[in-house]
């Protein structure tokens, strides 16, 4: 009989004990694999956050952010100044517009044509109907905006539609636009009568790629439909930056600049350099997604916890194998003595015990992989939820703008409570852990490596067993 066949037979010699060992191993291996899956998922999320928004700075006019404050508008010349700063990889200018449905009965236009002090959001008319009802918050903000004594109270309250002129195919937070149908705008440096429309706004107005609508009596063609992921963000329109400047009758003016830095390590120094280049009296430079540092920190904590738990579960599986094989060697001393007496070598006997342990580990890995596939998502969520409350407490943005009812930070993509990236807790809970074959295979390989190490010690003990002593004791 071959060594492998003898090892498989020995593994099932005591079926009840084998089942118990496999069950214990399955739990340890399943936990180890689930932790490895969670570690990989969190690591991927950290990389995604760092790559997409962790290196973004936001430049607003000094004293003029959202619909608060005043100050002087930013200019294209200032954008060129920022672009020349060391470690800056790109500068995207935006121009904020406020599209008001032409049929709505509204108060007289505010002086300066802007929305709020400083005219940051220019009001223009459109034949589009907003995809969001005013509701309590919209009506409250509407009445508040008319308390300055200019104009009469609105008799018909409709929400404005957020429109932004952009200098590249990114939203006002610096993220790439998710275009679900149609195409982008092509050349974002020229004025053109094409637009990108949010999904809910398109549905509300029965628009598809190729449809037309009007802004300031000018006909625009829908080039594509995008999905911002939120109700506020999808009630929006994007046009090229020069086109928005023309519509607002403010050539060369910018509402915001989105500055991308080449690495997270250079963000703080670049922020200081940009502020110095523009001057504190001309611009306010902020790390637009500062709350992400808390989110990334929490995710790193979860990643470290899952790695420690993976190592602990792996060590537990190895310890189980070690103890089981030591017990089996002690039980089979007579059998080992007889094998040696008839000429079996120490290496052959030791290999037999190692293979027997691997059979048990293989069975435990099959069951453990199934457990990990079912439980990895729940375990990752449980780990992350323990960090969410702490993260959420520190995630509130201190910048201007009004989350749910206003135009946060002069930009319109994303919207919602706390701006485009809401609370850090939303980023934490967005981590999706799935047991991919590659991760499971890597985990099982690690389990087998530990099992071999755990089985080698008792296998080496067989070399110390002398046949004459065993047979004399019988």
């Amino acid at each position: 009989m071959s060594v492998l066949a003898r090892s498989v037979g020995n593994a099932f010699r005591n079926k009840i004990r084998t089942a118990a060992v496999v069950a214990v191993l399955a739990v340890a291996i399943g936990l180890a694999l689930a932790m490895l899956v969670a570690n990989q998922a969190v690591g991927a999320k950290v990389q995604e956050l760092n790559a997409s928004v962790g290196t973004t700075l936001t430049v607003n006019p000094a004293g003029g952010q959202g619909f608060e404050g005043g100050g002087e508008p930013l200019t294209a010349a200032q954008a060129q100044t920022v672009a020349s700063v060391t470690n800056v990889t790109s500068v995207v200018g935006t121009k904020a517009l406020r599209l008001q449905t032409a049929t709505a009965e509204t108060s007289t236009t505010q002086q300066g044509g802007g929305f709020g002090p400083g005219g940051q959001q220019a009001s223009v008319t459109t034949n589009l109907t907003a995809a969001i009802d005013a509701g309590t918050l919209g009506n409250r903000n509407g009445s508040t905006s008319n308390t300055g004594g200019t104009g009469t109270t609105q008799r018909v309250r409709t929400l404005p539609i957020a429109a932004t002129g952009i200098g590249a195919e990114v939203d006002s937070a610096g993220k790439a636009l998710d275009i679900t149908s149609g195409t982008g705008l092509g050349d974002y440096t020229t004025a053109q009568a094409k637009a990108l429309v949010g999904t809910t706004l398109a549905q509300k107005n029965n628009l598809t790629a190729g449809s037309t609508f009007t802004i300031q009596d000018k006909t625009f063609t829908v080039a594509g439909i995008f999905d911002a992921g939120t109700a506020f963000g999808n009630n929006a329109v994007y046009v090229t930056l020069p086109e928005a400047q023309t519509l607002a009758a403010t050539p060369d003016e910018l509402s915001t600049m989105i500055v991308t830095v080449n690495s997270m390590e250079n963000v703080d120094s670049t922020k200081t350099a940009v502020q110095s280049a523009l001057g504190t009296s001309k611009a306010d430079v902020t790390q637009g997604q500062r709350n992400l540092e808390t989110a990334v920190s929490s995710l790193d904590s979860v990643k470290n916890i899952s790695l420690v738990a993976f190592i602990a579960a792996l060590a537990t599986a190895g310890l189980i194998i070690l103890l089981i094989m030591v017990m089996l060697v002690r039980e089979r001393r007579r059998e080992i003595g007889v094998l040696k007496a008839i000429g079996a070598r120490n290496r052959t006997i030791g290999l037999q015990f190692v293979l027997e342990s691997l059979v048990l580990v293989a069975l435990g890995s099959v069951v453990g992989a199934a457990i990990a596939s079912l439980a990895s998502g729940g375990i990752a969520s449980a780990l992350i939820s323990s960090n969410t409350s702490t993260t959420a407490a520190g995630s509130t943005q201190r910048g201007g703008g009004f989350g749910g009812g206003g135009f946060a930070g002069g930009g319109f993509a994303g919207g919602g409570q706390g701006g485009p990236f809401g609370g850090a807790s939303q980023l934490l809970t967005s981590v999706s852990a799935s047991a991919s074959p590659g991760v499971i295979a890597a985990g099982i390989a690690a389990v087998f490596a530990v099992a071999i190490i755990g089985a080698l010690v008792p296998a080496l003990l067989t070399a110390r067993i002398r046949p004459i002593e065993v047979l004399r004791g019988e």
Side-chain angles (χ1 to χ4, degrees):
M1 182 181 292
S2 67
V3 175
L4 178 60
R6 188 182 301 114
S7 300
V8 174
N10 287 338
F12 291 95
R13 181 182 294 183
N14 187 328
K15 294 182 175 56
I16 295 178
R17 181 168 60 190
T18 298
V21 171
V22 169
V24 174
L25 282 174
V27 173
I29 294 172
L31 180 60
L33 295 178
M35 288 301 173
L36 183 61
V37 170
N39 181 270
Q40 295 291 321
V42 172
K45 187 65 176 180
V46 169
Q47 291 181 354
E48 176 190 339
L49 293 177
N50 289 341
S52 61
V53 292
T55 59
T56 300
L57 299 175
T58 302
V59 181
N60 289 295
Q65 189 174 8
F67 50 106
E68 291 295 319
E72 297 300 319
L74 302 173
T75 65
Q78 289 174 311
Q80 294 176 356
T81 299
V82 174
S84 65
V85 173
T86 304
N87 297 321
V88 171
T89 58
S90 69
V91 179
V92 177
T94 72
K95 180 61 182 177
L97 301 176
R98 180 173 178 264
L99 306 184
Q100 186 68 55
T101 304
T103 56
E105 297 182 39
T106 61
S107 59
T108 57
T109 304
Q110 298 180 33
Q111 293 182 354
F115 181 59
Q120 273 295 92
Q121 287 80 36
S123 293
V124 295
T125 59
T126 181
N127 68 338
L128 296 176
T129 302
I132 305 174
D133 294 330
T136 301
L137 293 176
N139 286 312
R140 182 184 301 161
N141 290 335
S143 61
T144 302
S145 66
N146 288 320
T147 58
T150 59
T152 59
T153 303
Q154 294 179 346
R155 286 180 291 174
V156 177
R157 175 62 179 159
T158 60
L159 283 183
I161 298 167
T164 308
I166 50 177
E169 198 163 293
V170 296
D171 65 20
S172 298
K175 297 186 304 175
L177 291 171
D178 181 14
I179 300 176
T180 58
S181 65
T183 63
L185 300 180
D187 186 0
Y188 287 79
T189 63
T190 62
Q192 53 181 305
K194 295 194 298 183
L196 299 173
V197 181
T199 53
T200 55
L201 184 63
Q203 292 171 1
K204 179 73 173 182
N205 294 274
N206 298 316
L207 299 177
T208 58
S211 300
T212 60
F213 64 94
T214 63
I215 301 177
Q216 292 288 74
D217 297 325
K218 182 176 181 178
T219 300
F220 282 77
T221 301
V222 178
I225 308 296
F226 68 88
D227 183 9
T230 64
F232 182 80
N234 286 330
N235 184 48
V237 173
Y238 284 101
V239 296
T240 65
L241 178 58
E243 187 65 44
Q245 292 171 330
T246 300
L247 290 171
T250 54
D252 199 46
E253 286 189 6
L254 302 174
S255 299
T256 308
M257 286 187 286
I258 307 300
V259 181
T260 303
V261 185
N262 57 7
S263 69
M264 287 194 70
E265 292 75 15
N266 294 325
V267 169
D268 289 335
S269 61
T270 305
K271 174 184 173 183
T272 302
V274 170
Q275 185 69 78
S276 177
L278 296 178
T280 55
S281 63
K282 297 294 184 181
D284 292 328
V285 182
T286 59
Q287 188 173 341
Q289 307 305 331
R290 194 73 185 182
N291 62 312
L292 285 180
E293 290 187 355
T294 305
V296 171
S297 176
S298 294
L299 288 175
D300 280 334
S301 297
V302 173
K303 184 179 178 181
N304 292 335
I305 291 171
S306 61
L307 180 60
V308 171
F310 167 70
I311 295 174
L314 206 59
T316 301
L319 181 61
I320 292 172
I321 289 296
L322 172 63
L323 296 177
I324 290 297
M325 299 315 295
V326 167
M327 180 184 68
L328 292 178
V329 169
R330 294 174 71 91
E331 281 185 359
R332 298 177 187 171
R333 283 177 57 84
R334 182 175 183 279
E335 179 182 329
I336 293 170
V338 171
L339 289 173
K340 285 190 174 186
I342 61 177
R345 293 180 296 180
N346 289 331
R347 184 175 60 185
T348 302
I349 297 173
L351 179 61
Q352 175 180 315
F353 281 93
V354 171
L355 291 176
E356 183 176 349
S357 71
L358 293 183
V359 170
L360 297 174
V361 170
L363 294 174
S365 295
V366 172
V367 181
I371 294 174
S373 298
L374 296 174
S376 57
I379 290 176
S381 298
L383 288 172
I384 291 169
S385 63
S386 65
N387 290 270
T388 300
S389 57
T390 303
T391 302
S395 66
T396 304
Q397 294 182 343
R398 294 177 176 86
F402 288 78
F407 300 88
F412 302 100
Q417 186 64 31
F421 285 90
S425 60
Q426 295 177 350
L427 296 172
L428 293 173
T429 54
S430 68
V431 177
S432 176
S434 58
S436 64
V439 175
I440 293 295
I444 290 178
V447 169
F448 271 86
V450 172
I452 291 174
I453 295 173
L456 279 177
V457 175
L460 293 175
L461 293 178
T462 61
R464 301 178 61 182
I465 298 176
R466 298 180 179 180
I468 188 63
E469 294 179 355
V470 174
L471 295 177
R472 183 184 300 141
E474 292 296 326

